Amino acid sequence: MKAFVFLPGTLCDERLWQYQLPEFSKSIVVNLRTQNTLEKMLDSVYEVSFDSFVLVGFSMGGYVAQEFALRYSERVEHLVVMGSSTQGYPPKEQEVITQALPVIRGGLFKGITDRRLREFLHPKSYAKPELRELIHSMAGPDAAQVYLRQLEATLGRRDLSSEIGNIVCPLTAIGGHDDHIVSAESILAFNKLVPNAQVQILEECGHFVPLEQPAVVNEILHGIYQLP
């Protein structure tokens, strides 16, 4: 029975994977909200009890997952990245965050605003108030502190384009056709970088892939689960 280890994105928690966890009884979500360095995040993944596992990462968690698979190849049976590329922090997002840092450091940051959510979600997803509320809720009352720690750990993330082809496990990359944060083009680049990579771009989907298209994501993960 394959084990699944899920890594959330920035300001997300285990609820990001609420549609996936019930599908796989042998699974765990690694909390990436408390660490302020990449090394500490990687250590948290390393400490999971499974000897080897399918590693699934979304957005920031997708970057951490790539770094982990490159460093600890013997632990990863299959790498799945969603809404995450090899190309470092998205430049436009990095610019927005840099401008917002004074507000974040001042403790005034409360999470993603509804206006910003329009950039993250497909219009059909944005029209669902329960989805918007979930994303707001995941940020938590300590959003400013969590965000600062995660930025400190990953804002300077490396471009892994020249290294990702060295991973020894199979790789599946999933992106949203309408993702304005991590473009579909940057996800499709995995086809050129990783031999035999499986890349899927989902229609009517923005950045929050596991929440916007859960049925398709589950189908893909079940296909991986059934591999020998």
Side-chain angles (χ1 to χ4, degrees), residues 36-146:
N36 64 351
T37 69
L38 175 62
E39 291 300 319
K40 291 177 182 177
M41 289 182 171
L42 294 173
D43 287 346
S44 294
V45 181
Y46 189 85
E47 289 166 3
V48 302
S49 58
F50 309 130
D51 291 333
S52 63
F53 42 83
V54 177
L55 183 58
V56 186
F58 165 72
S59 197
M60 177 195 75
Y63 168 68
V64 176
Q66 291 177 68
E67 289 276 19
F68 187 90
L70 285 167
R71 187 175 303 190
Y72 303 110
S73 58
E74 72 282 359
R75 300 287 302 279
V76 184
E77 298 175 29
H78 198 120
L79 175 62
V80 183
V81 296
M82 302 183 195
S84 182
S85 76
T86 62
Q87 298 169 13
Y89 216 102
K92 288 184 180 179
E93 274 301 290
Q94 197 169 40
E95 182 179 346
V96 169
I97 290 166
T98 300
Q99 293 174 352
L101 274 176
V103 173
I104 300 169
R105 291 196 176 107
L108 301 176
F109 179 78
K110 304 299 182 184
I112 303 174
T113 64
D114 259 5
R115 182 179 62 84
R116 281 283 283 152
L117 268 185
R118 287 186 182 274
E119 300 175 35
F120 281 81
L121 297 171
H122 184 275
K124 287 187 176 180
S125 300
Y126 183 82
K128 299 175 180 178
E130 68 278 9
L131 177 53
R132 299 200 308 273
E133 176 54 34
L134 171 61
I135 295 171
H136 290 315
S137 177
M138 284 196 295
D142 56 346
Q145 293 84 2
V146 171

Side-chain angles (χ1 to χ4, degrees), residues 161-181:
S161 301
S162 63
E163 298 177 45
I164 196 65
N166 296 327
I167 66 167
V168 297
C169 67
L171 180 143
T172 297
I174 309 170
H177 180 272
D178 302 288
D179 188 341
H180 299 299
I181 307 302

Side-chain angles (χ1 to χ4, degrees), residues 7 57 76 102 105 158 181 194 198 207:
L7 307 185
V76 184
R105 291 196 176 107
R158 302 187 302 137
I181 307 302
V194 181
Q198 299 296 312
H207 186 60

